[in-house]
């Protein structure tokens, strides 16, 4: 079976075609992503109106490119999957409308996909089915808009067991990165800067968080941040306090006329952000004996988070699945993957399908 997937929830237009073979393996035939980052960079963040307009310009040529890449025509497609929520409404509507028209014209089934479920489904795209996670598992979705922990009991049944109560981890990196003079989105550059900071603090490359915690830099109080892990017994997070602490710290340095050491700042900030996530992931895994961990979303590309979650899962003797970097950010193969499972579960969308900005997982 061949599925075409469309993604337009934020600032990437993406179209992909996947083949699902008889054993249920999800194999990529084409994956095209058009990033609008250069359009939004000027404003330091995504401008919804610009995003919607760029999606409408890009979606047809990108679809043609996907067919060329796969060596197929629309008549070869058996089903259509589209991200219908959550996201920017004007952006989502472009993909949903295009997908509806495609399904109508080809007379094939249409399935609506939740963007966060799709991020997690990126882990199912694998040639070797033993390397793709199978529910039940715990999933961590970390992106520009989300920091959520899910109990995934089947390919389509998700229960949110922890979430951010305010800013997402990606937003926390992007906004503070901007204050450090990094361009939007700051996540990847922040990652590199923090790496230099950890190396400086520990006097060696590839220092672990345990090394950093023992370092003199960690004990110096001038660059310490509050933990975003809430300690109220829940698995929730609050990243707004971390962000505010960073802004206040910068002001304090400014007032004293001192230059902030960007690398040390980035390392101290990353330490708290990542450690908070690791603490709650560990608690979630301990509550669900034997469950593996799946990590997904743009921030799953963060090298410090990947390494720390590797340590946590190794300590608890659990399997860890993280999609390749190319599938961590927004793409449409992940939409094909979740779309296939929605189709298998009989969750077909009607002709009245609408997009929804809403955060609640479908
Ligand atoms: O999943 P995604 O592509 O889009 C959303 O659905 O939000 O995630 C984008 C986010 C941005 O905040 C970006 O800064 C962050 O992922 N990101 C990273 C890294 N690479 C991308 N954050 C931290 N470290 C990285 N290496
Ligand atoms: Zn995303």
């Amino acid at each position: 079976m061949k599925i075409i997937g469309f993604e337009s929830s934020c600032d990437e237009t993406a179209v992909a075609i996947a083949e699902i073979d008889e054993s249920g393996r999800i194999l990529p035939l084409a994956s095209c992503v058009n990033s609008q980052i250069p359009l939004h960079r000027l404003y330091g963040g995504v401008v919804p109106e610009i995003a919607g307009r760029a999606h409408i310009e890009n979606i047809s040529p990108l679809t043609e490119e996907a067919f060329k890449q796969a060596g197929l025509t629309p008549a070869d497609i058996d089903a259509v999957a589209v991200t219908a929520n959550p996201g920017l409404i004007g952006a989502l509507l472009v993909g949903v409308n295009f997908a509806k028209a495609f399904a109508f014209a080809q007379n094939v089934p249409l399935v609506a996909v939740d963007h966060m479920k799709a991020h997690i489904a990126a882990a199912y795209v694998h040639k070797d089915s033993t390397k793709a996670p199978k529910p039940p598992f715990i999933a961590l979705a970390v992106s520009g808009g989300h920091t959520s922990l899910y109990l995934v009991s089947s390919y389509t049944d998700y229960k949110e067991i922890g979430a951010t109560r305010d800013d997402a981890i990606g937003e926390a990196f992007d906004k503070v990165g901007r204050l450090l003079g990094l361009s939007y989105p700051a996540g990847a550059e922040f990652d590199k800067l923090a790496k230099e900071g950890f190396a400086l603090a520990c006097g060696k490359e590839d220092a672990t968080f345990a090394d950093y915690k023992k370092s003199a830099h960690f004990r110096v109080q001038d660059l310490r941040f509050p933990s975003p892990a809430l300690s109220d017994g829940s698995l929730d997070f609050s990243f707004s306090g971390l962000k505010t602490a960073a802004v206040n710290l910068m002001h304090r340095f400014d007032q004293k006329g001192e230059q902030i050491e960007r690398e040390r700042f980035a390392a101290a900030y990353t330490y708290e952000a990542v450690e908070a996530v690791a603490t709650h992931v560990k608690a979630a895994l301990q509550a669900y004996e034997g469950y593996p961990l799946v990590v997904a979303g743009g921030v799953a590309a963060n090298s410090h988070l990947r390494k720390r979650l590797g340590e946590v899962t190794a300590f608890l003797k659990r399997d860890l699945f993280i999609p390749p970097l190319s599938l961590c950010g927004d793409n449409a193969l992940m939409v094909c993957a979740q779309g296939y499972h929605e189709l298998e579960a009989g969750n077909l969308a009607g002709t009245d399908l609408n997009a929804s900005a809403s955060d609640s997982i479908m």
Side-chain angles (χ1 to χ4, degrees):
M1 167 200 281
K2 293 179 184 66
I3 298 188
I4 189 164
F6 297 102
E7 160 63 44
S8 71
S9 65
C10 190
D11 58 352
E12 258 103 24
T13 320
V15 183
I17 302 172
E19 162 112 57
I20 322 300
D21 73 5
E22 277 174 11
S23 60
R25 288 187 312 164
I26 300 166
L27 307 164
L29 297 180
S31 181
C32 303
V33 181
N34 183 297
S35 172
Q36 306 172 6
I37 284 171
L39 295 179
H40 300 288
R41 186 163 273 159
L42 193 64
Y43 306 94
V46 180
V47 183
E49 163 121 9
I50 293 177
R53 288 172 186 274
H55 285 308
I56 215 153
E57 281 172 19
N58 292 332
I59 200 157
S60 302
L62 213 58
T63 303
E64 279 171 15
E65 195 183 317
F67 277 111
K68 211 183 276 171
Q69 224 178 68
L72 299 173
T73 69
D76 296 315
I77 297 298
D78 302 297
V80 181
V82 62
T83 301
N85 84 299
L88 303 170
I89 193 67
L92 286 163
L93 282 170
V94 174
V96 167
N97 201 26
F98 195 88
K100 282 174 87 163
F102 189 101
F104 181 76
Q106 296 302 320
N107 195 22
V108 291
L110 173 69
V111 284
V113 167
D114 179 286
H115 183 72
M116 299 320 290
K117 283 184 180 173
H119 265 303
I120 293 156
Y124 308 146
V125 182
H126 212 292
K127 279 203 296 272
D128 179 352
S129 55
T130 63
K131 301 246 169 68
K134 289 183 185 63
F137 55 75
I138 298 293
L140 168 73
V142 274
S143 71
H146 287 81
T147 315
S148 298
L149 274 163
Y150 301 106
L151 172 63
V152 181
S153 44
S154 80
Y155 288 109
T156 51
D157 295 320
Y158 280 57
K159 185 177 163 211
E160 195 175 69
I161 55 172
T164 182
R165 297 201 183 153
D166 38 59
D167 299 344
I169 185 167
E171 191 182 347
F173 280 127
D174 290 341
K175 297 226 164 113
V176 171
R178 193 178 175 192
L179 297 176
L180 287 176
L182 309 180
S183 57
Y184 173 83
E189 266 188 273
F190 208 110
D191 188 339
K192 278 196 212 126
L193 208 57
K195 196 172 187 163
E196 290 167 32
F198 288 126
L200 279 172
C202 303
K204 62 175 181 185
E205 299 291 324
D206 285 330
T208 62
F209 271 28
D211 295 328
Y212 179 66
K213 215 172 161 186
K214 277 187 258 156
S215 75
H217 284 254
F218 183 76
R219 287 193 297 273
V220 177
Q221 290 298 311
D222 67 335
L223 276 183
R224 285 293 289 277
F225 296 99
S227 170
L230 293 182
S231 53
D232 59 359
S234 74
L235 293 176
D236 289 348
F237 305 95
S238 166
F239 282 91
S240 71
L242 180 68
K243 205 179 65 187
T244 308
V247 173
N248 290 343
L249 242 164
M250 281 183 187
H251 285 159
R252 235 177 293 146
F253 271 80
D254 260 1
Q255 279 161 0
K256 288 192 283 180
E258 288 173 12
Q259 197 73 21
I260 215 149
E261 277 181 73
R262 291 159 86 234
E263 294 82 0
R264 268 188 67 213
F265 183 98
Y269 188 86
T270 300
Y271 174 84
E272 293 301 343
V274 167
E275 200 50 30
V277 173
T279 303
H280 280 187
V281 163
K282 191 172 174 191
L285 290 174
Q286 280 170 327
Y288 294 92
E289 195 47 54
Y291 280 32
L293 176 69
V294 177
V295 185
V299 184
N302 186 275
S303 63
H304 313 288
L305 183 68
R306 291 168 91 96
K307 190 159 146 189
R308 188 72 187 101
L309 293 178
E311 290 172 358
V312 168
T313 47
F315 176 78
L316 295 176
K317 298 190 171 55
R318 305 295 177 88
D319 286 331
L320 170 64
F321 299 91
I322 310 182
L325 287 187
S326 61
L327 295 184
C328 281
D330 288 348
N331 66 89
L333 272 176
M334 67 185 200
V335 179
C336 296
Q338 186 59 27
Y340 164 65
H341 288 297
E342 298 293 345
L343 195 65
E344 283 286 286
N347 298 333
L348 295 187
T351 48
D352 59 348
L353 174 66
N354 203 342
S356 160
S358 136
D359 214 18
S360 60
I361 203 143
M362 295 194 304

